[in-house]
Amino acid sequence: MSTSSDPNTTSITTASRRETAVTLPANLHARPAGRLARAAAAFTSAIQLEYADRTVNPTGVLAVMGLGATVGSTVTVRAEGHDAEQAVAALAQILATAE
């Protein structure tokens, strides 16, 4: 069995990585945690939230609330994948406008 490959065919995978820090205007309670989880689930990139030496996957409401981030604290949003730029921007916007 032989396989042939066309040297003119290339597979290009473009993945990006992005990180930003957001200072919270409010505590991460159920409402903003739910908004974050729904938004994070819409992206294909691997997304992480980091606060106080803890890192969580933001697709789970309880994980986000478990960070314990409070008003005035800084949360870092990281993403890696095809839509990382959009994922970080969307989650940072939700964090920046949390009520």
Side-chain angles (χ1 to χ4, degrees), residues 69-81:
T70 57
V71 64
S73 58
T74 300
V75 174
T76 301
V77 182
R78 288 190 179 98
E80 185 172 348

Side-chain angles (χ1 to χ4, degrees), residues 3-97:
T3 59
S4 65
S5 64
D6 181 355
N8 296 322
T9 304
T10 58
S11 175
I12 299 173
T13 304
T14 56
S16 62
R17 183 180 297 176
R18 175 135 187 245
E19 176 178 307
T20 191
V22 178
T23 302
L24 299 176
N27 296 338
L28 274 182
H29 55 85
R31 189 176 316 133
R35 287 181 60 208
L36 279 170
R38 284 189 301 278
F43 295 99
T44 59
S45 291
I47 306 169
Q48 296 178 329
L49 292 184
E50 185 178 294
Y51 169 72
D53 297 326
R54 296 190 65 208
T55 303
V56 299
N57 178 333
T59 58
V61 174
L62 294 178
V64 174
M65 290 175 59
L67 280 174
T70 57
V71 64
S73 58
T74 300
V75 174
T76 301
V77 182
R78 288 190 179 98
E80 185 172 348
H82 297 290
D83 54 3
E85 296 283 331
Q86 296 88 353
V88 169
L91 272 61
Q93 177 64 28
I94 293 169
L95 288 169
T97 59

